[in-house]
């Protein structure tokens, strides 16, 4: 047989590398980077390279299962769909629409989130739609919305080669977005661009930094405010120019008086001179690109971290120009598409808000329903859904493409909540996962490459990911599962689709005139080609590289807001009982809860077990050394890990990767979220995964 090659887009991180997938005899045999693709030009990282292994992995789900008398039993699709639809209808009838909720992953197709929006908001009448974007990008979204009036990332990857300064904050891109890191490193080499990294650990990313601000975790707002203070104090801000496109300069200036480098040095632990040096580098830069990620978003001050970072770009005119602006890489492959189509409980499709009456009317008119049908208040965030399972207000939860029993904070509380559901439906590609183990209904899903639909990458580029192999057994695409359940619930008229393309064509109508305008795009245009950047309103339109080039922003006054944001310490700080600050994060060879990467031998072996990174100084005080098995405990629970001694982490801080859990290998006590704190940023409702006070003792 001979290999056929199919163009696709990476299903892991949201950078959106173009891939070529080789299929032979119905099997995926090789994945390479697509040459000429503007995102990666042939490059790819180890996650994409090992994708064939996901198709051959053990424990793929091939048949639906129902839990009967406590035992999971294989059933037909008809039985499974009948059971799910019937139970949902009964619960809605008895307890009302807000007793049910949907929670999906941000690698789901835009088409899938469109369908679930229609089912939940228009047909059932609840806004309880959530996605793992709540754990990932909710603060980026809220940060952009408050600063520029729209959750629309303004810059693009082509800026990388034009920048002369990269400010990389709370983002270990060398590990988490390696192809982006290669581009940044190459730009530094070719153009002499400078790199500033803010991270409590000397990561592989920080290794190329000209200035590494190794701050105390959680203190970024104080740092950013001090940088802005120095910019204003030392004459790096052209005030007249800045006042033309921003509001709030005067208030900000007054507010920042107290944030001297000396004060910030006390709070952040960074030397004063280094803060001044970093501010001067920003002031002197002609084109600064900022990247930030979970070191910002996994924090109770996440949105303020975002706002104060944007202040730096606005003050120095580094916005919406070639080589300059904020770029937030999205975590999962379709995180931005999910935000555009309304995959959070406060959103409506087409970058609209539940709380906005005009938006509700527009969407209701489009769907042909009375505007009152769409509730004017946001649904529950995922943490509040779990709380609702605990207090009985939520009876049914439908989970697809995400693994909340491992990825949400304070796992024991989450698992106890999930176990209380009258109906827990989980659609996944594997069983067991931490979440499928708790389900009453398990639905076998087709994965990336076994179904067709669209992704939107972090620079607003829309791409078609097409089916190139058959799903195993009876597995079905999530979109098909959705329309089958919807029809069974009685919504045949609303769900007449026979293909994802039907769904896409309908969804486009809700993007007209919006910053995510997709009306110039068809599957045909996308097929085999590189997709355009949104907005792309007409078939002739080439797509939009950068937004707000005229410095007209989406806020009511047309200006971007310079926001005075006070530093507030993390909700939990070290004390006598729990003297260390735990941060969590990622490794190069594992992805999130590891259901896919943990099943690929090469990746499994390269990072087989969990560890806790401890500074040599702290290790001496605690009395532990390399390889010791310890118990890391917080007020919520504890995990077991092996000590990894390190000179790269700030003393007082320890790090545990977020990938390891119970479903693979039965090591439930390795799951770091047993320890993390379920508190969240009140503005974005994003959990503070990174900052928990812990103590370490040698395990018995
Ligand atoms: N290999 C791999 N790649 C991935 C993923 C994966 O699981 N594996 N997951 C994808 C997803 S969903 C996401 S969201 C991204 C996440 O990508 P990143 O955000 O880059 O990854 P993390 O390791 O979670 O956190 C980044 C850094 O934040 C630092 N940090 C912690 N607390 C603070 C703080 O208070 N301030 C600052 N400034 N820094 C802090 C940590 O030390 C860490 O180095 O990666 C994506 N790419
Ligand atoms: N402590 C700590 N916790 C964290 C983080 C952290 O840094 N620290 N990071 C947070 C972040 S940023 C994120 S994004 C979340 C990620 O958390 P999750 O979304 O829970 O993580 P994944 O492992 O990506 O889960 C994806 C699930 O979907 C399944 N799947 C894959 N493809 C398909 C498909 O096509 N259809 C269906 N139905 N299922 C599919 C996979 O097998 C897997 O079970 O974790 C969060 N949790
Ligand atoms: S950098 Fe991200 S998009 Fe590119 S190959 Fe790696 S995981 Fe995929
Ligand atoms: Mo994420």
């Amino acid at each position: 047989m001979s290999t056929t090659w199919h163009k696709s887009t990476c299903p892991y991180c949201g950078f959106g590398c173009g891939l070529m997938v080789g299929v032979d005899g119905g099997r995926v045999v090789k994945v390479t980077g697509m040459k000429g693709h503007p995102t990666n030009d042939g490059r790819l990282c180890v996650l994409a390279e090992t994708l064939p292994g996901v198709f051959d992995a053990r424990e793929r789900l091939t048949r639906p299962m129902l839990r009967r008398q406590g035992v999971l039993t294989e059933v037909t699709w008809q039985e499974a769909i009948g059971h799910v639809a019937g139970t949902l209808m009964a619960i809605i009838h008895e307890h009302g629409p807000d007793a049910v909720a949907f929670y999906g992953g941000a690698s789901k197709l835009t088409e899938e989130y469109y369908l679930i929006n229609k089912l939940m908001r228009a047909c059932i009448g609840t806004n309880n739609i959530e996605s793992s974007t709540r754990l990932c990008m909710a603060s980026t979204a809220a940060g952009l919305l408050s600063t520029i009036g729209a959750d629309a990332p303004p810059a693009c990857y082509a800026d990388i080669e034009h920048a002369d300064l990269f400010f990389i904050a709370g983002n270990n891109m060398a590990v988490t977005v390696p192809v982006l890191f290669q581009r940044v490193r190459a730009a530094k080499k070719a153009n002499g661009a400078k790199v500033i990294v803010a991270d409590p650990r000397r990561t592989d990313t920080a290794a190329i930094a000209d200035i590494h601000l190794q701050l105390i975790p959680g203190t970024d707002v104080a740092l950013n405010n001090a940088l802005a203070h120095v910019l204003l104090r030392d004459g790096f801000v052209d005030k007249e120019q800045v006042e033309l496109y921003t509001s709030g300069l005067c208030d900000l200036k007054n507010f920042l008086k107290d944030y001297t480098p000396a004060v910030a040095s006390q709070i952040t632990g960074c030397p004063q001179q280094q803060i001044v040096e970093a501010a001067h580098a920003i002031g002197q830069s002609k084109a600064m690109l900022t990247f930030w990620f979970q070191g910002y978003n996994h924090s109770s001050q996440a949105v303020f971290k975002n706002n104060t970072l944007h202040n730096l770009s606005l003050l120095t005119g580094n916005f919406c120009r070639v080589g300059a602006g904020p770029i937030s890489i999205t975590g999962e492959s379709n995180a931005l598409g999910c935000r555009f189509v309304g995959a959070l409980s406060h959103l409506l499709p087409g970058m609209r808000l539940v709380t906005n009456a005009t938006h509700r009317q527009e969407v209701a008119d489009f769907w042909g329903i009375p505007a009152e049908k769409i509730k004017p208040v946001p649904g529950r965030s995922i943490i509040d859904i779990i709380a609702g399972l605990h207090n009985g207000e939520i009876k049914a939860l439908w989970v697809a493409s995400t693994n909340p029993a491992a990825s949400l904070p304070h796992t024991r509380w989450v698992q106890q909540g999930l176990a209380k559901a009258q109906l827990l439906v989980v659609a996944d590609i594997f069983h067991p996962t931490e979440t499928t183990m708790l389900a009453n209904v398990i639905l076998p899903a087709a994965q990336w490459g076994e179904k067709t639909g669209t992704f939107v990458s972090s620079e607003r580029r829309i791409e078609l990911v097409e089916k190139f192999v058959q799903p195993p057994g009876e597995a079905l695409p999530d979109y098909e599962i959705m329309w089958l359940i919807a029809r069974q619930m009685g919504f045949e008229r609303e769900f007449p689709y026979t293909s994802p393309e039907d769904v896409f064509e309908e969804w486009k109508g809700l993007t007209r005139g919006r910053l995510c305008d997709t009306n110039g795009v068809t599957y045909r245009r996308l097929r085999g080609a590189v997709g355009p950047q949104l907005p792309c309103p007409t078939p002739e339109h080439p797509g939009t590289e950068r937004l707000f080039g005229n410095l007209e922003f989406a806020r009511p006054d047309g200006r971007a807001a310079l926001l005075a944001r006070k530093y507030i310490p993390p909700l939990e700080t070290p004390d006598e009982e729990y003297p260390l600050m735990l941060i969590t994060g990622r490794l190069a060879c594992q992805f999130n809860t590891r259901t896919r990467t943990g099943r690929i031998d090469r990746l499994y072996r390269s990072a087989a077990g969990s560890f806790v990174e401890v500074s040599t100084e702290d290790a001496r005080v605690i009395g532990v050394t390399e390889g010791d098995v310890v118990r890391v405990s917080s007020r919520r629970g504890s995990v077991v890990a092996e000590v990894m001694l390190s000179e790269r982490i700030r003393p007082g801080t320890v790090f545990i990767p977020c990938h390891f859990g119970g479903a693979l290998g039965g090591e439930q006590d390795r799951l770091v979220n047993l320890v993390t704190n379920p508190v969240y940023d009140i503005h974005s409702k994003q959990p503070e995964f990174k900052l928990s006070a812990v103590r370490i003792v040698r395990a018995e």
Side-chain angles (χ1 to χ4, degrees):
M1 294 229 186
S2 67
T3 304
T4 54
W5 290 92
H6 305 259
K7 189 234 156 205
S8 194
T9 300
C10 182
Y12 284 117
C13 92
F15 192 53
C17 290
L19 303 182
M20 294 307 293
V21 182
V23 176
D24 197 339
R27 282 187 58 233
V28 179
V29 290
K30 196 169 172 61
V31 172
T32 61
M34 180 183 172
K35 294 226 167 58
H37 194 286
T39 301
N40 58 316
D41 190 18
R43 286 171 279 215
L44 81 178
C45 77
V46 67
L47 296 182
E49 200 181 306
T50 52
L51 270 165
V54 184
F55 292 85
D56 296 332
R58 62 185 199 278
E59 297 166 334
R60 259 313 283 273
L61 274 165
T62 57
R63 293 203 54 191
M65 289 195 266
L66 263 184
R67 196 178 290 278
R68 287 182 174 139
Q69 276 99 44
V71 184
L72 284 167
T73 319
E74 289 191 351
V75 294
T76 63
W77 268 111
Q78 209 181 358
E79 276 177 279
I81 297 288
H83 180 81
V84 173
T87 315
L88 284 176
M89 289 309 277
I91 289 172
I92 293 163
H93 185 72
E94 193 177 339
H95 304 282
D98 287 332
V100 303
F102 176 89
Y103 178 53
S107 58
K108 289 202 108 29
L109 303 166
T110 305
E111 290 79 353
E112 292 170 341
Y113 270 110
Y114 177 73
L115 291 174
I116 205 71
N117 263 275
K118 195 172 181 185
L119 177 63
M120 299 295 280
R121 301 193 207 264
C123 299
I124 295 177
T126 177
N127 287 321
N128 286 341
I129 297 184
E130 275 283 275
S131 65
S132 57
T133 278
R134 181 70 70 191
L135 315 183
C136 193
M137 305 312 295
S139 304
T140 289
L144 289 171
L145 190 68
S146 41
T147 295
I148 59 175
D151 173 19
C156 63
Y157 306 157
D159 290 322
I160 297 167
E161 283 74 26
H162 298 285
D164 67 2
L165 174 65
F166 300 99
F167 189 148
I168 304 171
N171 173 356
N172 186 9
M173 61 169 73
V175 158
T176 56
V177 197
V179 176
L180 165 64
F181 183 67
Q182 286 174 32
R183 281 181 68 170
V184 166
R185 197 174 46 190
K188 178 175 162 72
K189 207 165 160 201
N191 316 334
K194 277 199 164 164
V195 176
I196 302 177
V197 170
D199 196 305
R201 299 185 304 142
R202 199 166 73 243
T203 58
D204 292 352
T205 310
I208 67 158
D210 299 281
I211 302 175
H212 177 201
L213 298 155
Q214 196 168 7
L215 76 180
I216 294 169
T219 62
D220 300 81
V221 169
L223 173 66
N224 293 345
N225 282 346
L227 294 171
H229 171 104
V230 177
L231 286 172
L232 284 157
R233 184 193 70 185
D234 294 355
F236 288 106
V237 178
D238 181 341
K239 289 176 197 144
E240 269 168 40
Q241 205 51 35
V242 169
E243 290 216 15
L244 288 178
Y245 60 86
T246 63
S247 59
L249 182 58
C250 189
D251 289 347
L252 181 70
K253 221 178 137 212
N254 282 332
F255 169 81
L256 289 176
K257 284 212 174 86
D258 299 338
Y259 284 92
T260 59
V263 168
S265 176
Q266 284 283 319
I267 299 172
T268 62
C270 298
Q272 270 189 67
Q273 193 41 45
Q274 200 189 29
I275 297 174
V276 173
E277 200 190 325
H280 287 183
I282 294 169
Q284 283 151 5
S285 154
K286 294 197 171 53
M288 172 176 71
L289 267 187
T290 61
F291 294 97
W292 69 102
F293 223 160
Q294 301 312 352
Y296 267 34
N297 289 356
H298 288 163
S299 146
S300 52
Q301 267 222 297
V303 179
F304 284 13
K305 289 187 182 187
N306 278 260
N307 293 144
T308 53
L309 180 70
H310 301 332
N311 282 349
L312 302 178
S313 300
L314 289 170
L315 285 172
T316 52
N318 274 306
F319 227 91
C320 313
R321 281 194 297 106
V322 173
I327 301 193
S328 147
I329 303 303
T330 58
E332 295 166 284
S333 47
N334 193 32
L336 191 54
C338 288
R339 277 144 66 191
F340 285 169
V341 74
L344 291 170
S345 61
H346 64 289
L347 300 177
L348 288 174
M351 302 178 74
R352 293 179 172 88
L353 296 171
V354 156
T355 47
N356 181 314
T358 312
H359 290 176
R360 287 198 304 281
Q361 188 71 52
E362 286 166 355
V363 175
D365 289 348
F366 186 82
W367 281 334
I369 56 170
E372 301 76 61
K373 182 83 190 190
I374 302 175
K375 294 221 166 83
V377 283
R380 289 169 184 261
S381 76
I382 182 58
I383 297 290
D384 297 331
I385 289 173
I386 303 295
L389 286 167
H390 273 278
N391 69 20
E393 287 172 7
I394 298 280
K395 306 279 181 200
L397 178 62
W398 174 358
V399 174
S401 309
T402 182
N403 188 7
S407 55
L408 289 178
H410 195 1
T411 314
R412 194 152 338 271
W413 174 75
V414 171
Q415 292 179 346
Q416 283 163 355
L418 292 172
K420 286 188 179 165
Q422 189 179 326
L423 179 70
L424 178 64
V425 184
V426 182
D428 205 290
I429 59 174
F430 293 116
H431 172 67
T433 73
E434 287 79 358
T435 309
T436 59
M437 291 197 294
L438 299 169
N440 344 90
V441 183
I442 300 180
L443 304 176
Q447 64 168 324
W448 169 85
E450 298 166 351
K451 61 179 179 182
T452 295
T454 53
F455 283 168
V456 182
S457 80
S458 312
E459 61 164 355
R460 295 170 277 103
R461 189 180 298 285
I462 183 167
E463 303 259 24
L464 187 64
V465 287
E466 285 196 274
K467 176 173 173 172
F468 42 74
V469 289
Q470 287 301 330
E474 296 177 16
L476 290 180
D478 291 279
Y479 50 75
E480 206 167 327
I481 298 174
M482 286 170 184
W483 71 52
L484 288 173
I485 290 177
R487 285 178 201 156
Q488 185 76 30
M489 290 175 77
F491 304 112
E492 290 95 349
R493 200 174 49 82
E494 292 83 352
F495 291 81
Y497 318 100
T498 56
S499 73
E501 193 167 2
D502 295 345
V503 182
F504 181 77
E505 286 300 316
E506 182 176 313
W507 144 242
K508 271 160 54 174
L510 272 170
T511 66
R512 198 172 300 282
R514 312 289 302 164
L515 283 166
C516 57
D517 200 328
T518 310
N519 285 285
V521 183
T522 55
Y523 274 21
R524 206 175 146 160
R525 174 167 177 182
L526 297 179
R527 195 157 281 138
V530 174
Q533 287 171 269
L534 303 176
C536 177
T538 60
E540 305 74 40
H541 197 287
T544 310
E545 268 196 310
R546 294 175 191 85
L547 298 177
F548 313 116
N550 56 1
L551 297 178
E552 275 273 331
F553 294 94
R555 292 175 67 258
D557 63 359
R559 290 155 185 272
L562 286 165
L563 295 166
R565 301 305 205 190
K566 196 170 167 233
Y567 164 71
I568 303 163
L571 292 177
E572 205 168 62
T573 46
D575 55 22
E576 248 174 51
E577 208 181 344
Y578 296 100
L580 296 163
M581 186 68 115
L582 167 71
I583 54 181
T584 62
R586 291 168 164 79
L587 305 177
C589 290
Q590 298 300 334
F591 192 79
N592 290 355
T593 71
R594 207 171 65 127
T595 65
R596 284 170 283 183
T597 49
R599 284 180 169 92
I600 298 170
D601 272 350
R602 176 177 153 201
L603 298 182
Y604 180 83
R605 279 199 309 273
S606 66
S610 191
F611 59 83
V612 54
E613 186 177 353
V614 185
S615 72
T616 36
E617 214 176 301
D618 288 329
R620 211 172 307 120
V621 175
I622 308 164
V624 294
T625 188
E626 182 80 16
D628 281 356
V629 179
V630 293
R631 195 165 268 287
V632 182
S633 312
S634 73
R635 290 184 175 80
R636 280 127 335 248
S638 68
V639 276
V640 175
E642 268 184 33
V643 170
M644 185 178 105
L645 287 188
S646 165
E647 301 290 345
R648 308 201 322 168
I649 192 159
R650 252 199 96 85
T653 307
V654 297
F655 173 86
I656 301 182
C658 63
H659 309 294
F660 300 94
L664 296 167
E667 294 171 326
Q668 178 80 353
D669 59 357
R670 305 266 157 157
L671 188 70
V672 73
N673 280 326
L674 289 163
V675 168
T676 51
N677 200 348
V679 296
Y680 54 57
D681 180 320
I682 52 166
H683 305 283
S684 64
K685 303 202 170 178
Q686 180 158 359
E688 188 156 59
F689 282 116
K690 293 280 186 272
L691 307 161
S692 319
V694 296
R695 67 164 170 262
I696 294 183
V697 291
R698 206 188 289 272
E700 318 72 51

